Amino acid sequence: MSRRSVTVQVARWSAGHPWRAIGLWIVFVVACVVLGGALGTNKATDLDQAARDAGTAGRVAHDHGVTPPAVENVVITSRSGPLPQAEARTAAAEVTTALRGIPQVTKVDAPVLSKDGTTLMVPATVAGDPLTAKDRVKPLLDRTADVQKRFPALRVEQTGGASIGRDMSELIAKDLIRADGIGFPVTLLILIVAFGALIAAGVPVLLAITAIAGATGLTALVSHLVPMYDTASSMTMLMGMAVGVDYSLFYLRREREERLRGAGHRDAIEIAAATSGHAVVVSGVAVIVAMAGMFLTGNVIFTSLATAAIVVVAVAMLGSLTVLPAVLAKLGPRVDRPRVPVLWRLTATRENPRLWPALLRPALRHPAITLVLAVVALLALAVPALDMKLRSTTTDQLPRAIPALRTYDRLVAAFPDRSTEHQIVVRTTPDRAREVHAALTGLAAGAAGDRLFVARGPRPDIRASADGRVQMLTLATPYGMNSAQARDAVARLRDDLVPATAGKVAGAETWVGGDAAASVDFGGQMSDRTPLVVAFVLGLSFLMTTVIFRSVVVALTAILVNLLSVGASFGALVLIFQHTWLEGALGFRSTGTIVAWIPLFLFAVLFGLSMDYHVFLVSRIREAARAGLPTRRAVAEGITGSAGTVTGAAVIMISVFAIFGALRLMEMKEMGVGLAVAVLIDAVVIRIIVLPALMVLLGRANWWPGPLSRRRPAPGDRIAPRMPVG
């Protein structure tokens, strides 16, 4: 090997200086954790997440101090029977006294009784910036809980954006701990089965843990450039467990394979670096390229999740190429100790496998029929995706394990006008302030007679900035933020009410914000940006695959089969979550929709992971073909030779993703299940049926425009042992 690839050079240095490589990796991980912990994570706020008109409205209102302060509502109801009015008012008085005595509260309003007499509400205004109110809400919750203890016959509960946000953060943290507690032992068990040796099984898990730790700290540093969405930590854990273990698995299996064929320990590491190491780099870059497309959305949800995924994939890839060869060099043959007797014999055998030739036989003997049947089946599974309905995450999609959400349900049932708010923001010169106020007052009067809006008091809720430049009117809608009525209200404001009133003030800039407007604008942003993201991911993936394999045909078929896999997984996602197929089994209540950001995000992740497996498989097939084997035999031996590795990697990914599908947050459920189903389709249907049948049909055309450097096998060639092909 006259020219050594970079992966081989890195592996050779690490294997030659194992303690240095291991020490540098430890220093890197510790530095990331310490620096990330010291600076903390910059979390994305509601303003960061809002898009277009609604986003501008929120930012202008916040910057000029007219955003309404955070309000927490203490909700008092009866545990059984009618509300005892006297006892409820006594409890409300104690709540009022308790909340007024803490610095986190600026005022407590008078109790409000619902029209049906079932609920008494005590609104309390939280001091400080409303965007960070959840960081200061715990003292309020503690005081409310103290009052509850003195009134056992009543429910004295608290809800609001701050308390819901705090409970959500705690829920995500608990779910991640639970996912760790299940995920790592399950992964270790799968690896023990795959390797038949405890140390070999433990090395990938250890590398994944350190990669996740380093990536978490590094993501915290990067968050000061790209604010992180709440579930970004989940993405680090999800991708870190999946690719961190898989990359090590690819490397370890190839190193063992070469040792079993008689290569020396150091030579086996170098061959693994040249083959699997190269595939790891290509696969990692494929995932990074796919995730980079998310930046074209311009939305912080996508950019933060993409950043978290890119960082952890890059760190896992770096670890598998640097510290892994050092660990293998230091362990030597001890990596296969202690052995699990039966499993060791099964995994270390060099005999020709029987299962995979049997599974591949239809695709190799009857490629045309097999391909047509498989494609028709996948297209049929993809059909439900055409009816996919998207909606932004709302309170009805959040798990009721959150106490503040159960209280919110009771609050909205008793006070429907608390459901959704619209914010009309107007900016102009100070000398137009009176004219703007009059226009907004007229707008509120016009909305009062419209069924889409509801009045909360005799006077309109108008707030003005200290310099008189910005004013904001808040209007209520008694419908959910994603309801057709709420969307109609946004359209009515933007197309009619605002232009006819505040829009007529000379030089005025107007925006309509609020949750419903943010949902509408998010949908519009996704509609405009999705084609750009898809074109970016497909285009760069095509170019990258063409360069790697020097074949337009391989690149084109990779795009087509991966699109087929993604489409089928989308169809399954719709069947499971939109049509409630597994509602009981997965423990969720279907809303008949999919979380709006999930499909585009899944497209990028799934395409990256699909390219991951595709590159690894085609590399093995190309390796056999370059050794002089005909296409049918090269396909058979390439897939069979990598069967154990890819199957183990797929099982690990499916297991990890399925664990996230069992979490309580709907976003995590849809993400986990969507990824698990996609990997299952990719590893079984695409790898065993579609890809081999397609490559056999194409024959030598696979490598066009080539030429593929075909030659007769030499004694030193590292290809899988020959097998009967039917």
Side-chain angles (χ1 to χ4, degrees):
M1 200 181 287
S2 57
R3 287 184 59 192
R4 302 277 181 180
S5 66
V6 174
T7 57
V8 174
Q9 293 178 39
V10 172
R12 171 174 284 185
W13 184 89
S14 296
H17 308 84
W19 285 121
R20 292 186 190 178
I22 294 171
L24 287 173
W25 176 253
I26 293 173
V27 169
F28 168 73
V29 171
V30 171
C32 289
V33 171
V34 171
L35 290 176
L39 288 179
T41 301
N42 178 29
K43 295 291 186 70
T45 65
D46 291 341
L47 290 185
D48 295 319
Q49 297 174 36
R52 295 189 168 181
D53 202 57
T56 304
R59 284 186 289 274
V60 170
H62 181 267
D63 292 345
H64 287 79
V66 299
T67 302
V71 175
E72 288 289 297
N73 297 296
V74 178
V75 181
I76 303 173
T77 57
S78 174
R79 292 190 180 275
S80 61
L83 180 69
Q85 298 286 333
E87 188 177 8
R89 291 198 176 276
T90 301
E94 291 198 20
V95 166
T96 301
T97 301
L99 294 182
R100 281 177 177 167
I102 55 177
Q104 291 82 4
V105 174
T106 57
K107 71 170 182 173
V108 181
D109 293 333
V112 180
L113 184 66
S114 63
K115 289 182 180 180
D116 60 7
T118 63
T119 306
L120 193 64
M121 177 183 66
V122 182
T125 302
V126 183
D129 189 342
L131 295 179
T132 58
K134 73 175 183 178
D135 299 332
R136 300 182 300 279
V137 76
K138 190 176 185 304
L140 284 74
L141 292 167
D142 291 341
R143 295 298 178 95
T144 300
D146 289 340
V147 175
Q148 169 69 91
K149 293 175 184 177
R150 294 193 290 275
F151 295 88
L154 300 175
R155 290 193 191 94
V156 183
E157 305 165 310
Q158 184 176 319
T159 189
S163 52
I164 291 174
R166 186 177 185 277
D167 284 354
M168 279 289 296
S169 297
E170 290 185 353
L171 180 75
I172 292 172
K174 289 178 181 177
D175 276 359
L176 285 179
I177 293 173
R178 187 172 67 164
D180 287 348
I182 300 172
F184 284 117
V186 168
T187 301
L188 182 60
L189 181 62
I190 295 170
L191 288 169
I192 291 173
V193 174
F195 284 108
L198 297 184
I199 294 178
V203 168
V205 173
L206 183 60
L207 181 62
I209 291 173
T210 56
I212 290 170
T216 300
L218 200 56
T219 301
L221 297 176
V222 178
S223 71
H224 294 276
L225 298 175
V226 181
M228 290 293 116
Y229 184 55
D230 282 342
T231 53
S233 54
S234 303
M235 176 51 52
T236 300
M237 188 68 63
L238 186 75
M239 295 296 288
M241 288 176 66
V243 303
V245 171
D246 276 11
Y247 290 166
S248 300
L249 178 62
F250 291 165
Y251 208 108
L252 272 167
R253 286 298 292 257
R254 188 57 185 259
E255 188 267 350
R256 174 191 279 185
E257 182 182 328
E258 298 303 327
R259 279 193 291 112
L260 290 174
R261 289 180 182 154
H265 188 64
R266 193 68 64 86
D267 289 338
I269 292 175
E270 291 194 17
I271 294 170
T275 53
S276 292
H278 177 71
V280 164
V281 172
V282 173
S283 300
V285 172
V287 176
I288 290 172
V289 165
M291 297 309 302
M294 308 292 286
F295 288 98
L296 294 176
T297 63
N299 186 277
V300 74
I301 294 176
F302 294 98
T303 57
S304 64
L305 292 176
T307 299
I310 288 171
V311 169
V312 76
V313 169
V315 172
M317 183 170 60
L318 178 66
S320 67
L321 298 178
T322 57
V323 72
L324 183 57
V327 171
L328 292 178
K330 200 65 188 172
L331 288 173
R334 292 187 301 255
V335 72
D336 290 329
R337 306 282 181 179
R339 298 172 179 176
V340 181
V342 176
L343 294 177
W344 170 256
R345 286 196 298 271
L346 291 173
T347 59
T349 181
R350 294 185 59 190
E351 296 178 0
N352 289 338
R354 297 179 181 179
L355 175 63
W356 292 101
L359 293 175
L360 287 171
R361 192 170 294 124
L364 299 179
R365 286 184 174 180
H366 310 287
I369 296 175
T370 303
L371 180 63
V372 169
L373 291 177
V375 169
V376 169
L378 289 174
L379 289 176
L381 182 56
V383 167
L386 299 175
D387 187 42
M388 184 182 289
K389 294 180 174 62
L390 305 178
R391 64 184 290 187
S392 299
T393 303
T394 54
T395 53
D396 60 340
Q397 290 174 303
L398 299 177
R400 263 44 198 175
I402 297 176
L405 278 173
R406 297 195 295 271
T407 306
Y408 174 81
D409 291 339
R410 285 189 273 273
L411 174 67
V412 172
F415 299 93
D417 62 316
R418 302 281 163 174
S419 181
T420 304
E421 290 184 342
H422 305 283
Q423 298 167 349
I424 298 89
V425 179
V426 183
R427 182 171 62 190
T428 186
T429 54
D431 59 299
R432 300 279 185 181
R434 292 195 176 201
E435 191 177 350
V436 170
H437 189 277
L440 292 177
T441 302
L443 193 160
D450 194 314
R451 64 177 180 82
L452 295 174
F453 305 96
V454 59
R456 284 187 179 171
R459 293 188 300 177
D461 182 3
I462 300 176
R463 298 171 60 87
S465 63
D467 60 6
R469 294 179 179 276
V470 174
Q471 295 185 55
M472 184 178 76
L473 167 67
T474 299
L475 294 177
T477 293
Y479 307 103
M481 60 174 275
N482 279 316
S483 64
Q485 295 93 334
R487 292 194 297 271
D488 290 344
V490 173
R492 178 113 166 84
L493 286 169
R494 288 177 171 175
D495 300 338
D496 184 10
L497 295 177
V498 173
T501 54
K504 290 187 174 181
V505 177
E509 297 176 277
T510 62
W511 304 276
V512 175
D515 289 340
S519 179
V520 170
D521 289 347
F522 180 82
Q525 186 183 49
M526 291 303 98
S527 297
D528 291 347
R529 299 296 180 91
T530 294
L532 293 176
V533 175
V534 172
F536 176 88
V537 173
L538 295 183
L540 278 190
S541 297
F542 178 83
L543 290 175
M544 186 179 69
T545 312
T546 301
V547 171
I548 293 167
F549 294 106
R550 296 178 176 85
S551 169
V552 172
V553 175
V554 168
L556 185 59
T557 55
I559 298 295
L560 292 177
V561 298
N562 288 335
L563 284 176
L564 195 61
S565 174
V566 170
S569 66
F570 277 9
L573 189 72
V574 169
L575 292 174
I576 293 169
F577 290 99
Q578 191 169 306
H579 297 302
T580 73
W581 277 26
L582 293 179
E583 188 177 51
L586 292 176
F588 69 93
R589 184 179 60 186
S590 175
T591 61
T593 59
I594 303 296
V595 176
W597 61 266
I598 289 289
L600 185 58
F601 178 77
L602 283 183
F603 168 80
V605 176
L606 294 179
F607 211 85
L609 294 178
S610 296
M611 290 297 294
D612 183 356
Y613 284 122
H614 196 88
V615 166
F616 187 77
L617 285 172
V618 176
S619 294
R620 293 298 293 259
I621 294 170
R622 183 169 179 260
E623 187 179 341
R626 293 188 68 181
L629 299 183
T631 301
R632 188 184 302 268
R633 189 172 295 277
V635 169
E637 296 194 359
I639 293 178
T640 303
S642 62
T645 303
V646 175
T647 300
V651 171
I652 289 169
M653 278 200 176
I654 292 170
S655 300
V656 169
F657 296 152
I659 290 168
F660 275 76
L663 301 184
R664 289 170 288 184
L665 192 62
M666 184 61 75
E667 296 170 348
M668 290 295 100
K669 281 184 181 295
E670 292 183 3
M671 188 189 303
V673 171
L675 289 171
V677 170
V679 173
L680 180 63
I681 291 171
D682 193 64
V684 177
V685 183
I686 299 297
R687 175 164 56 101
I688 298 175
I689 301 174
V690 175
L691 180 62
L694 184 58
M695 294 193 75
V696 168
L697 284 174
L698 290 172
R700 295 186 64 180
N702 280 298
W703 317 111
W704 185 86
L708 184 67
S709 301
R710 299 189 65 183
R711 54 184 173 81
R712 291 184 180 275
D717 284 334
R718 298 311 202 265
I719 60 173
R722 296 201 172 197
M723 53 167 280
V725 187

